[in-house]
Amino acid sequence: MKDFAFTGGRPDPYTFPTEALIEASAKALRKLGGQLVNYPGESGYRGLRELASMRFERREGVPLPVDNTSITSGSMQALELVLGTFIKPGDTVLTEEFTYSGTLGIMRHLKANIVGIPMDYVDGMDMDALEAQLKALKRQNVTPSLIYTTSNHQNPTGAILSLERRHRMLELAEEYDTLIVEDDCYGDIDFVPNPTPASLFKLDTSNRVIFIATFSKILGAGVRQGYFVAQQPYYGMIHHNRWDGGTSALASAIVAEFFMEHLEAHLETTNAAVGAKCQTVIDTLEANVSDLCTWTKPRGGLFLWIDLPESTDMNKLSELASAKGVGYSNGSAFHYAGDPVKAIRLAYAYCHVDDVPEGITYLAEAIRSAQMATVDAAAAD
Amino acid sequence: MKDFAFTGGRPDPYTFPTEALIEASAKALRKLGGQLVNYPGESGYRGLRELASMRFERREGVPLPVDNTSITSGSMQALELVLGTFIKPGDTVLTEEFTYSGTLGIMRHLKANIVGIPMDYVDGMDMDALEAQLKALKRQNVTPSLIYTTSNHQNPTGAILSLERRHRMLELAEEYDTLIVEDDCYGDIDFVPNPTPASLFKLDTSNRVIFIATFSKILGAGVRQGYFVAQQPYYGMIHHNRWDGGTSALASAIVAEFFMEHLEAHLETTNAAVGAKCQTVIDTLEANVSDLCTWTKPRGGLFLWIDLPESTDMNKLSELASAKGVGYSNGSAFHYAGDPVKAIRLAYAYCHVDDVPEGITYLAEAIRSAQMATVDAAAAD
């Protein structure tokens, strides 16, 4: 049986640049050689921090501060360090109603009181709802530790926080004296020109934004090269909790050498491949379940969100899809409180493009077959 | 001015196998290719876990359990995870009176009550002293969370815990119901045949030993490839605190490919180089300060410990040595309570062998010049 894996936020394996990475490895190793006996330092290999800065400048027009950039094991370790620094047990944190399950896992592990803010699938978190929540918390004398947001191509919905909302979020963070953790893991995975507004980190004027990004989603999660950027005193506070001796300089140097030469061309290749898969998913859904479901139309990123009919039997859907080798993620995994929701997330970059129509057709059939006979049951009464 | 760096536990940079690692990178990348878009899993790249198991079997005659081995960012992250899992604020932990400053840093960060056990520089921790301490703690109803020991080529003294003491430590751990964390970071850096007895992890019959090791000290700290090994339930408990998404499979696969082919030959080359430097340090000390100091004679590892005269002005020594470009580590950094001690640690693997005599001669001169004029002062009275 074929494996139609629409699970896990992984980039396209078929455009993975094996040969270019082999060349980059040789360059990196000849450049560093015996220097690799040294510790990378807790901020990590400077060449990759410089590359991260240039990557940001390419899109945002301004560089990242290299001395305030720290390389981590993917964005996960950045999240672990940043959230671990600012969240104490019982602290309140705010996030989109639906957000990355890994972030929720860390927040729960830290015993945070997670408050989900309503959002829409196009423009992201609802700022009126955020303001109302901040007001309500203030009445209870609660200052949230932070607002966590995936500003670009949000996981799981693909929403892009609008420029207007970004400005408003920054104002509210200042008014209510809280931090913003901006997770930009999916930045640069763009299917159309310039889909995303200026980053919160760039717009910030009152040192309230900690920026997280990664090379995992444009290259591979297996390389484990993410980073966080924070101004002082936050940078020092976060490193006070870091005891791992820094991230592999070997892997960092290879990734730096590769992107130094190939960033633009690699993004063009992989974004075209991933964008084509996304469109194929949409076309196949359109042809099969447009009467039953609605779904997001991502302008980038790795995820598409399908709202299913209320009459969907989620367990049956899972069984039917699995039986055909189709994997997806249950919507409840992304709900801030883990509530059951009639929605699923598809990660469309991993499956081979030629297999997408077959896989999504099976999924569509499973969705149709998983509908509980509510109308018939009513008619039978 | 030349830099005589006897600081930091780094291997020999001059035998760093750059070209062989370039070959290993090409092999690893061709083997994995697009699979690198996947997460390594929290236990890490299986190929390196298998290699770690074979490495252990080569010396100990039995393999490590691959499914209970987890790759980490050097041994530091292994320590962070293991100690972080078993130490709660206020918990008592036992260790050699002098031990690795990084471990002490993590223990202090975790607010442990660190109790140092007297040791000797040849056979390691004193088991009578350990028993007395365990008894005393039991009278106060205190069960220590763990005993931390660097069994082989101890940092900072070079001591090797004798086989008899290993058996006794295991008995005591069982009798007083505590865990042992065996840090084997310096295992395989042997200057003579078979200098180290069977590991505590191998000798353990009651599931009390968590084993930590690394490839950092036989290859380079910059590669950040360490590991811990623990049986259940400990393995699961430790991973419950792990949120980094796993260690770079790119770096792990390269290190695995390299050692799969070159472990024996590489150890032979680097151990010969490091052993020669160690001997040169000893010869130079012998020729210059045998009337003033005593020092350990390591049978392996990266460190030599010098006991200085009580009359040494440690600040003056530091100034005089720095002025000649000589770096070393102050003994107090390795004391469990940070007490000032008239001792220093030399890490001898990093400096070029041709520079060792000059550097150590400067150091010897500095030691001589840093003696406080106690006799003269007494005579002047």
Side-chain angles (χ1 to χ4, degrees):
Chain A
M1 191 172 72
K2 275 192 197 170
D3 187 19
F4 305 99
F6 298 106
T7 46
R10 296 167 291 185
D12 177 44
Y14 304 99
T15 50
F16 188 82
T18 303
E19 292 303 319
L21 279 168
I22 289 172
E23 281 175 37
S25 300
K27 274 188 200 166
L29 277 158
R30 291 219 170 86
K31 187 184 276 183
L32 288 177
Q35 290 178 49
L36 279 166
V37 303
N38 294 297
Y39 283 86
E42 59 181 11
S43 297
Y45 179 63
R46 191 169 180 93
L48 191 60
R49 292 189 277 136
E50 287 168 352
L51 197 281
S53 178
M54 286 164 48
R55 177 192 182 187
F56 191 83
E57 187 168 14
R58 169 189 168 276
R59 195 181 71 204
E60 306 280 343
V62 295
L64 287 176
V66 174
D67 290 335
N68 290 68
T69 300
S70 185
I71 306 295
T72 53
S73 186
S75 62
M76 276 303 280
Q77 192 193 14
L79 283 169
E80 182 185 21
L81 288 168
V82 171
L83 300 179
T85 299
F86 297 107
I87 300 176
K88 271 147 215 56
D91 278 6
T92 294
V93 295
L94 307 178
T95 184
E96 289 98 356
E97 187 179 1
F98 296 102
T99 190
Y100 172 44
S101 49
T103 301
L104 290 172
I106 295 175
M107 288 175 168
R108 288 171 190 148
H109 185 69
L110 295 168
K111 303 190 198 311
N113 170 35
I114 309 170
V115 177
I117 307 294
M119 63 183 296
D120 68 67
Y121 300 162
V122 175
D123 291 326
M125 194 187 289
D126 180 331
M127 289 302 119
D128 292 338
L130 175 63
E131 183 172 18
Q133 187 58 253
L134 286 165
K135 256 188 201 155
L137 288 167
K138 189 166 190 169
R139 277 195 300 270
Q140 302 160 47
N141 276 320
V142 173
T143 303
S145 303
L146 54 88
I147 303 166
Y148 171 81
T149 184
T150 310
S151 44
N152 295 329
H153 309 310
Q154 202 243 7
N155 181 359
T157 66
I160 299 168
L161 193 65
S162 72
L163 184 61
E164 192 192 339
R165 293 189 187 189
R166 290 176 196 228
H167 282 297
R168 188 77 189 114
M169 186 184 279
L170 288 163
E171 285 168 10
L172 289 169
E174 189 160 2
E175 186 178 344
Y176 290 90
D177 194 21
T178 187
L179 292 174
I180 296 171
V181 176
E182 178 179 33
D183 186 343
D184 188 34
C185 272
Y186 310 102
D188 296 328
I189 311 176
D190 304 326
F191 307 150
V192 296
N194 308 316
T196 57
S199 81
L200 288 157
F201 185 81
K202 178 189 170 186
L203 297 171
D204 177 30
T205 55
S206 64
N207 193 15
R208 299 198 167 270
V209 181
I210 293 164
F211 182 79
I212 290 175
T214 186
F215 295 102
S216 292
K217 305 301 178 183
I218 59 171
L219 181 59
V223 303
R224 310 303 304 126
Q225 299 294 312
Y227 45 103
F228 69 82
V229 190
Q231 302 290 357
Q232 295 293 9
Y234 305 122
Y235 194 72
M237 289 167 72
I238 298 164
H239 271 175
H240 181 68
N241 289 317
R242 180 170 197 170
W243 293 90
D244 68 348
T247 302
S248 174
L250 173 58
S252 294
I254 293 170
V255 171
E257 285 295 330
F258 169 74
F259 279 119
M260 199 71 78
E261 199 166 331
H262 300 290
L263 178 60
E264 203 70 50
H266 177 72
L267 286 178
E268 203 170 308
T269 306
T270 57
N271 287 348
V274 175
K277 293 187 198 186
C278 178
Q279 191 56 50
T280 308
V281 168
I282 290 172
D283 293 345
T284 314
L285 288 172
E286 188 67 45
N288 288 277
V289 281
S290 59
D291 59 323
L292 277 179
C293 311
T294 57
W295 49 85
T296 58
K297 317 281 184 298
R299 284 175 286 165
L302 302 175
F303 308 109
L304 180 147
W305 182 255
I306 307 181
D307 279 316
L308 305 166
E310 274 308 310
S311 54
T312 308
D313 179 336
M314 297 300 284
N315 291 330
K316 191 170 179 191
L317 175 58
S318 172
E319 278 166 33
L320 292 170
S322 299
K324 290 290 192 178
V326 178
Y328 60 82
S329 300
N330 240 313
S332 61
F334 308 98
H335 187 265
Y336 76 99
D339 285 359
V341 288
K342 305 284 186 177
I344 62 175
R345 186 196 77 174
L346 301 183
Y348 42 71
Y350 187 73
C351 201
H352 194 286
V353 66
D354 293 344
D355 291 333
V356 169
E358 188 180 352
I360 297 298
T361 302
Y362 290 146
L363 177 66
E365 288 166 3
I367 292 172
R368 197 168 293 282
S369 302
Q371 299 310 308
M372 294 175 283
T374 47
V375 177
D376 290 357
D381 277 345
Chain B
M1 190 173 70
K2 273 191 199 170
D3 187 19
F4 305 99
F6 299 105
T7 46
R10 297 167 291 184
D12 177 43
Y14 304 99
T15 50
F16 188 82
T18 303
E19 292 303 319
L21 279 168
I22 289 172
E23 280 174 39
S25 301
K27 274 188 203 168
L29 278 158
R30 291 219 171 86
K31 186 183 277 184
L32 288 178
Q35 290 179 48
L36 279 166
V37 304
N38 294 297
Y39 284 86
E42 59 180 12
S43 297
Y45 179 63
R46 191 169 179 92
L48 191 60
R49 293 188 278 138
E50 287 169 351
L51 198 280
S53 178
M54 287 164 48
R55 177 192 183 187
F56 191 83
E57 187 167 13
R58 169 189 168 275
R59 196 181 70 202
E60 306 280 341
V62 296
L64 288 175
V66 174
D67 290 334
N68 291 69
T69 299
S70 184
I71 305 296
T72 52
S73 186
S75 62
M76 276 302 281
Q77 192 193 15
L79 283 168
E80 181 185 23
L81 288 169
V82 170
L83 299 179
T85 299
F86 297 107
I87 300 177
K88 271 147 217 54
D91 277 6
T92 294
V93 295
L94 306 177
T95 184
E96 288 98 355
E97 186 179 2
F98 297 102
T99 190
Y100 173 43
S101 48
T103 301
L104 290 171
I106 295 174
M107 288 175 169
R108 288 173 189 146
H109 184 69
L110 295 168
K111 303 191 198 313
N113 170 35
I114 309 171
V115 177
I117 308 294
M119 64 184 296
D120 68 66
Y121 301 162
V122 175
D123 292 326
M125 195 187 289
D126 181 329
M127 289 302 119
D128 293 337
L130 175 63
E131 183 171 19
Q133 188 57 253
L134 286 165
K135 258 189 202 155
L137 288 167
K138 190 167 189 169
R139 278 195 299 270
Q140 303 160 48
N141 277 320
V142 174
T143 303
S145 303
L146 53 89
I147 303 166
Y148 170 81
T149 183
T150 310
S151 43
N152 295 329
H153 310 310
Q154 202 243 6
N155 181 1
T157 66
I160 300 168
L161 193 66
S162 71
L163 183 61
E164 193 192 339
R165 293 189 186 189
R166 291 177 195 227
H167 282 297
R168 188 79 188 111
M169 187 184 281
L170 287 163
E171 285 168 8
L172 289 169
E174 190 161 2
E175 186 178 343
Y176 291 89
D177 194 21
T178 186
L179 292 174
I180 297 172
V181 176
E182 179 179 32
D183 186 344
D184 188 32
C185 273
Y186 311 103
D188 296 327
I189 311 176
D190 303 327
F191 307 151
V192 296
N194 309 314
T196 56
S199 80
L200 289 157
F201 184 81
K202 179 189 170 186
L203 297 171
D204 177 29
T205 56
S206 64
N207 193 13
R208 299 198 167 269
V209 181
I210 293 165
F211 182 79
I212 290 175
T214 186
F215 296 101
S216 291
K217 306 301 178 181
I218 59 171
L219 181 60
V223 303
R224 311 302 306 125
Q225 299 294 312
Y227 45 103
F228 69 83
V229 190
Q231 302 290 356
Q232 296 292 10
Y234 305 122
Y235 194 71
M237 288 167 71
I238 298 164
H239 271 176
H240 181 68
N241 289 317
R242 179 169 198 172
W243 292 90
D244 69 348
T247 302
S248 174
L250 173 59
S252 293
I254 293 170
V255 170
E257 286 294 330
F258 169 73
F259 279 120
M260 200 69 78
E261 200 166 331
H262 300 291
L263 178 60
E264 203 68 52
H266 177 72
L267 286 178
E268 204 171 305
T269 306
T270 57
N271 286 348
V274 175
K277 292 187 198 185
C278 178
Q279 191 56 50
T280 307
V281 168
I282 290 172
D283 292 346
T284 314
L285 289 172
E286 189 66 45
N288 288 277
V289 280
S290 59
D291 59 323
L292 277 179
C293 311
T294 57
W295 50 86
T296 58
K297 316 283 186 297
R299 283 175 286 164
L302 302 175
F303 309 109
L304 180 147
W305 182 256
I306 307 181
D307 279 316
L308 304 166
E310 275 307 311
S311 54
T312 308
D313 179 334
M314 297 301 284
N315 291 330
K316 191 170 179 192
L317 175 58
S318 172
E319 278 167 32
L320 293 169
S322 298
K324 290 290 194 178
V326 178
Y328 60 82
S329 300
N330 241 312
S332 61
F334 308 96
H335 187 265
Y336 76 98
D339 285 0
V341 288
K342 305 284 186 176
I344 61 175
R345 187 196 76 173
L346 300 183
Y348 42 72
Y350 187 74
C351 200
H352 194 285
V353 66
D354 293 345
D355 291 332
V356 169
E358 187 180 351
I360 297 298
T361 301
Y362 289 146
L363 176 66
E365 288 166 4
I367 291 172
R368 197 168 294 282
S369 302
Q371 299 310 309
M372 295 174 284
T374 47
V375 177
D376 290 359
D381 277 345

